[in-house]
Amino acid sequence: MQLRFDVAHSPSLSDDVRHRLSRLAGSRLTKDGVLIITAREHRSQERNRVEARARLIDLIPPAPQSR
């Protein structure tokens, strides 16, 4: 199962987050700026989908806490 996320064109990401995510993605980032996360650990496609989403969430840094 592959999850694709368009890092380069996502309106939800700030430039700082986009740059950090691009660095962390390494070879998983296509030349067009699409992050590809592959999950094959589970027999169920749904469980692999959940795993791929969790990995994406782990890569995106949390928003800074305002005081």
Side-chain angles (χ1 to χ4, degrees):
M1 194 255 131
Q2 286 187 339
L3 173 77
R4 294 172 178 263
F5 181 72
D6 192 347
V7 175
H9 300 106
S10 174
S12 302
L13 300 177
S14 68
D15 288 338
D16 290 341
V17 172
R18 183 174 291 121
H19 181 70
R20 180 174 182 266
L21 189 52
S22 296
R23 279 196 335 258
L24 290 173
S27 63
R28 295 175 289 184
L29 194 68
T30 68
K31 65 180 180 171
D32 297 322
V34 176
L35 173 63
I36 300 173
I37 298 176
T38 303
R40 298 182 189 153
E41 288 80 24
H42 307 285
R43 296 181 79 185
S44 159
Q45 184 176 6
E46 181 59 30
R47 288 184 68 191
N48 283 326
R49 187 176 294 124
V50 169
E51 175 71 24
R53 285 185 191 139
R55 287 190 209 166
L56 175 61
I57 290 167
D58 286 345
L59 284 174
I60 299 173
Q65 300 294 323
S66 59
R67 293 180 182 198

